[in-house]
Amino acid sequence: MKELKAEMVKIKNSNSLHISILFPLSLIIYTIFSRAATRNTNGLINGHSIIQISIFNIWTLLLIPLLIILIISSDFKNENKNNNFQYAVANGWKLNNIYIAKSFKYTMLTLLSYITLFAVIIVSNKITTNDFGNIKLIISTIMYIWFCSLSLIPINMLLIKKIKTTFSYILNVLIIIFFVYNSMANTKFSLFFPWMYGLNIERLALNIKANGLIGIKLPISMVSNQLEIMLGMTLIYIAVEIIIMKVLIKWKE
């Protein structure tokens, strides 16, 4: 609790806080330009909001790992600048507790970002279609995507500690591109890779294909309970990653 309280205090006026809010807010600019460029007067395609489809697809394809990496990297950079990790080691504090507290802080920051994303989407829908859209569906979709993206937090904490921030993001994007380019995003294999969970959830909830087009609601290789599989795998990944992180930190100490 001591480490957690310390991390919560650090959030105030931090770059990580600014990133978590401004990141989704930037999509309002995308909405304005898209509205000005489109010739579709009602902003709909096959009964779906064009801007809602685009925002969800951009978010799940490119922005989820970038958001997580920027939040973690900004926080780590501030810690290294102030030599906080070295100070903790010198005072005999347990790094395990610090990293677990940080993981919780990143979880709350990403939740704030997704709440902002929800506001952006309904405002965008109002601008482009003169309707807020199916609010219950949007909320449930966003919350499922947020929860299933949490396993990417400890993964990228480990990556950023080992390699540079830019390379961490490139690696994340290459994994996503590999699945999409090889049409593996719609196979049952993708249910076991957290990078694909956002795409899978938007396909299940909103019928959006990986290329951003409206698709046909088909099961992934006839696998039932897809959402339950992804939720369960997320919990397993988080547990395993925390154990790995604790072992690595203990070994380093």
Side-chain angles (χ1 to χ4, degrees):
M1 291 302 298
K2 180 181 67 176
E3 288 83 358
L4 184 57
K5 289 178 182 178
E7 292 301 325
M8 292 299 103
V9 170
K10 293 177 185 177
I11 288 179
K12 186 178 180 181
N13 295 324
S14 66
N15 289 332
S16 296
L17 176 62
H18 299 153
I19 290 169
S20 65
I21 296 175
L22 295 177
F23 208 72
L25 278 179
S26 64
L27 292 171
I28 287 290
I29 300 174
Y30 174 79
T31 298
I32 296 172
F33 279 103
S34 298
R35 186 71 184 94
T38 185
R39 296 181 180 180
N40 190 323
T41 56
N42 61 14
L44 298 172
I45 179 171
N46 295 335
H48 295 266
S49 167
I50 297 174
I51 189 63
Q52 181 176 300
I53 293 170
S54 298
I55 288 177
F56 268 112
N57 206 56
I58 292 171
W59 189 266
T60 53
L61 272 172
L62 299 173
L63 300 187
I64 288 177
L66 181 58
L67 169 69
I68 292 173
I69 286 172
L70 287 178
I71 288 175
I72 297 172
S73 176
S74 175
D75 185 57
F76 278 13
K77 183 177 181 181
N78 185 62
E79 296 286 10
N80 291 327
K81 179 181 178 181
N82 296 310
N83 296 318
N84 287 340
F85 288 126
Q86 293 87 337
Y87 183 78
V89 172
N91 284 274
W93 297 345
K94 292 184 178 180
L95 291 178
N96 277 333
N97 292 343
I98 294 175
Y99 280 105
I100 290 175
K102 284 188 175 296
S103 297
F104 182 81
K105 178 175 72 173
Y106 302 149
T107 298
M108 292 299 99
L109 286 170
T110 54
L111 177 59
L112 175 61
S113 190
Y114 277 77
I115 292 172
T116 308
L117 177 66
F118 164 72
V120 167
I121 289 176
I122 62 172
V123 169
S124 297
N125 285 345
K126 186 63 176 179
I127 292 173
T128 56
T129 68
N130 201 33
D131 184 76
F132 291 119
N134 189 332
I135 292 180
K136 289 184 178 179
L137 179 61
I138 294 171
I139 290 175
S140 60
T141 302
I142 285 177
M143 288 296 96
Y144 277 123
I145 293 175
W146 165 73
F147 182 80
C148 288
S149 68
L150 293 182
S151 59
L152 294 178
I153 291 176
I155 288 176
N156 283 293
M157 286 176 70
L158 291 171
L159 286 176
I160 292 172
K161 288 292 289 183
K162 297 298 180 181
I163 60 179
K164 292 184 178 180
T165 301
T166 303
F167 293 145
S168 298
Y169 180 63
I170 291 174
L171 179 60
N172 278 261
V173 171
L174 286 177
I175 293 173
I176 296 172
I177 292 174
F178 172 78
F179 273 85
V180 174
Y181 180 77
N182 290 284
S183 301
M184 296 176 65
N186 293 322
T187 66
K188 60 182 180 181
F189 192 60
S190 67
L191 296 176
F192 301 95
F193 283 80
W195 292 271
M196 292 295 102
Y197 289 172
L199 289 171
N200 286 335
I201 291 170
E202 72 173 10
R203 182 190 57 79
L204 289 170
L206 305 171
N207 198 20
I208 303 174
K209 295 163 65 175
N211 57 9
L213 301 176
I214 297 297
I216 301 173
K217 288 189 176 180
L218 293 174
I220 298 181
S221 301
M222 305 304 292
V223 175
S224 61
N225 302 321
Q226 299 168 36
L227 186 57
E228 288 82 356
I229 291 173
M230 289 186 286
L231 290 173
M233 289 303 301
T234 298
L235 292 174
I236 292 172
Y237 276 126
I238 292 174
V240 171
E241 289 158 4
I242 289 176
I243 293 172
I244 292 174
M245 188 180 298
K246 293 180 76 171
V247 170
L248 290 176
I249 292 172
K250 190 69 177 178
W251 176 75
K252 185 176 180 180
E253 291 176 335

